[in-house]
Amino acid sequence: MLMRDISKIKRIRLLIWLGIIYTISFLTFGNSISSYAEETDTKTSETDETETKVPEKTDDDFPVPVLSDLTVYKDPEDYSMVLAFLSDQKYEDYKVNVYLSVGNNTSYQLVTENKTVGSYYNSEKNFVSVRCPDIVPGIQYYYAIMITSYTPGSDYMESYDWGYAGYKTITKNSPVYEFPVYVENMNPSTIDSVAANDKKGIDIEFTGIGEVDGFRLYRSITSGSGYTLIADIPYDEDLYYNRYTYTDTDVPFGYVFYYVVCPYVVFNGAVYEGPVSNELYAVAPIDATKITKATSPKKNTNVIKWKKVKEATGYKVCVSDDYFGESRVIATLGADKTKFTHKKVPHGKGYYYTVVAFAEVNGVITEHASNPYYKSCNYYGCENESYSEKCQRIFGKNYYKDYKSAAEASKHMKTIRIKVWDISGGKKVTRTFPLTVNKKIAPTVQRMFNEIYRSKERIPIHSIGAYSYRGGRTEHDEGLAIDINPDENYMIDNGKILAGSFWNPKKSPYSIPLKCEFVNIMRKYGFYRGFWGNRKDYMHFSYFGT
């Protein structure tokens, strides 16, 4: 009984301790949960008190861009017009209307509507490219643009409701922005020369480039001012090198005239002039002289004669190596001189001579050159002689004359003696041949063979002949052709031998090579080998080449 009571007491004590432990635990953890809940409620309350909703932005929150730094230029690659500008807003997808006014800035017309604006790579500048009209040089082209819509773009994404596409286009018109005037300059003209002519006028030459309507030529008697329009010269697209000429005939002697030229275009009935050219002047001309005669009466001399000019106070004699070459003055003579002797001229050397008559008018020298006159130093026949010079030497006329008979021909012949080289006993020896030639060419032939004899080449000659009347068939009739070693220098036609036996310079010393000093000396004095296409006469050398 006692043991049963003790066990009951123990159970009661155990329950009491468990109750105490539970109470302590509940109080401890219950307070912690309560504190956490209170803390959480406090934080939630604080958050609700500080969070506010940002109102949605409207189109009015994005101002119309303001444009600046407007420039206009022509694209060099596709020739479109490029309108470039800066914007104070970093918007995207600009669209603009483009307007154009031609000739003034008061009559703009819409060129393109809602044109998309581009942007330069790595630059803040924007641009719009439009079709380039047929630009007329010298005309003013005024461009203007107006923004019609724009998208704020990625820089504004966080503060704007973009909808499904992520972008929204704002349609608003900006002010109209006018670009600087675009003018495509006309190509400047250049006055190339102003010179008196032999018809008492002044010839003006100028270069006019570009497809314009024409050119205006102005004249003044005062340099730099007081110009008067004297000619309207139309544009010529077929003109060679764009070189224009005009002759001013109203030029009384005693005045200095100054000339300028400018291009022009006509647009809507108005004339627009381009840049004014350089200025050149000329004095109302004196008469041009004329070279009347040129001869070589002595070795290494050319004598030039010309007509006297009434107003001239002097003359300048000029020479040039070619027709269009630059002349150099070799003599200045007084008004009483009409002849000049050019000395120390090499044999065969030819010059283009001009004689310039000059006078002083109001402190300005006016001068007028003759036409160029070619003259070679041909006391002896030479390579550079003209056909007329050859005819004058032989016949005293400007044309060739056949002798009608052997009797007539013989009156014009002369026999000279020439020294040549020949071969005897395997050695070069001197021989002397008589040679009958035209007496007008005899000094030339004598000098030519003297030079051949003195040359180091020493081509041998064992047979030579010149004059032989054959009834007007060859230059032998006039004593102007020479045959040398005919057997070893044959004549052929299409490979068929017509005279002689062969031609072989490698095997026969009497066969004259194609290229050698002998041939060069013959040509130097005006004698050419008889080669005429398929017919070749290796023995034949003639003065007129026939």
Side-chain angles (χ1 to χ4, degrees), residues 107-346:
S107 56
Y108 282 101
Q109 301 293 323
L110 181 63
V111 174
T112 183
E113 191 172 11
N114 292 326
K115 179 77 172 182
T116 299
V117 173
S119 61
Y120 291 102
Y121 175 74
N122 199 26
S123 170
E124 294 184 354
K125 205 154 192 180
N126 304 294
F127 71 91
V128 59
S129 179
V130 295
R131 184 184 65 82
C132 181
D134 293 330
I135 297 294
V136 178
I139 304 302
Q140 296 88 358
Y141 291 83
Y142 296 87
Y143 285 91
I145 63 172
M146 179 180 71
I147 296 175
T148 57
S149 66
Y150 51 89
T151 300
S154 59
D155 288 349
Y156 303 89
M157 286 282 286
E158 295 180 358
S159 57
Y160 195 75
D161 181 9
W162 299 103
Y164 176 79
Y167 294 92
K168 181 178 181 182
T169 299
I170 299 173
T171 303
K172 283 187 180 180
N173 290 339
S174 74
V176 174
Y177 288 90
E178 184 175 310
F179 285 78
V181 61
Y182 177 82
V183 179
E184 192 165 289
N185 293 328
M186 298 183 217
N187 291 312
S189 302
T190 303
I191 292 187
D192 302 305
S193 67
V194 174
N197 59 37
D198 57 2
K199 297 180 180 180
K200 302 295 286 184
I202 294 178
D203 293 328
I204 300 99
E205 291 190 358
F206 68 90
T207 301
I209 304 173
E211 294 186 3
V212 294
D213 290 311
F215 305 90
R216 284 181 161 182
L217 182 65
Y218 290 88
R219 184 184 79 177
S220 176
I221 58 174
T222 304
S223 177
S225 64
Y227 293 108
T228 301
L229 179 64
I230 63 170
D232 190 323
I233 303 166
Y235 170 76
D236 186 350
E237 64 179 2
D238 298 322
L239 198 63
Y240 191 60
Y241 284 134
N242 301 305
R243 199 76 176 269
Y244 293 81
T245 59
Y246 179 81
T247 299
D248 188 4
T249 57
D250 183 19
V251 285
F253 185 78
Y255 291 91
V256 180
F257 293 102
Y258 299 86
Y259 297 89
V260 295
V261 68
C262 68
Y264 73 86
V265 295
V266 179
F267 186 79
N268 288 340
V271 176
Y272 296 83
E273 291 188 348
V276 177
S277 73
N278 59 312
E279 179 188 76
L280 289 183
Y281 69 88
V283 179
I286 61 175
D287 286 329
T289 187
K290 181 180 180 180
I291 296 176
T292 57
K293 192 174 183 180
T295 60
S296 297
K298 296 181 181 180
K299 292 185 293 184
N300 305 117
T301 62
N302 281 340
V303 176
I304 312 299
K305 295 182 180 181
W306 60 89
K307 290 177 64 175
K308 184 178 180 62
V309 176
K310 181 180 178 181
E311 296 96 345
T313 57
Y315 304 93
K316 291 187 291 187
V317 181
C318 307
V319 297
S320 175
D321 292 322
D322 57 76
Y323 190 89
F324 296 104
E326 183 177 354
S327 294
R328 59 187 183 276
V329 179
I330 59 174
T332 301
L333 307 172
D336 59 332
K337 302 295 184 181
T338 57
K339 183 176 74 171
F340 173 72
T341 299
H342 191 189
K343 299 179 180 179
K344 297 182 180 180
V345 182

Side-chain angles (χ1 to χ4, degrees), residues 3 92-93 132 135 148-149 283 307 394 447 455 479 487 537:
M3 291 300 294
E92 298 177 0
D93 295 334
C132 181
I135 297 294
T148 57
S149 66
V283 179
K307 290 177 64 175
I394 305 301
R447 184 180 178 89
S455 70
D487 194 51
D537 194 345

Side-chain angles (χ1 to χ4, degrees), residues 17 66 225 244 346 384 389 436 524 527:
W17 279 109
V66 177
S225 64
Y244 293 81
N384 294 325
E389 285 180 320
T436 300
K524 174 183 174 181
F527 282 81

Side-chain angles (χ1 to χ4, degrees), residues 49-73:
E49 290 176 359
T50 58
E51 183 180 272
T52 59
K53 184 177 181 181
V54 178
E56 180 179 315
K57 288 191 175 184
T58 66
D59 290 357
D60 291 336
D61 293 317
F62 298 95
V64 176
V66 177
L67 307 186
S68 62
D69 194 16
L70 281 68
T71 55
V72 57
Y73 62 91

Side-chain angles (χ1 to χ4, degrees), residues 14 38 193-194 249 309 413 482 484:
L14 178 60
E38 291 176 359
S193 67
V194 174
T249 57
V309 176
M413 300 302 139
I482 303 171
I484 302 170

Side-chain angles (χ1 to χ4, degrees), residues 1-7:
M1 185 72 179
L2 180 61
M3 291 300 294
R4 191 177 297 164
D5 292 336
I6 292 171
S7 299

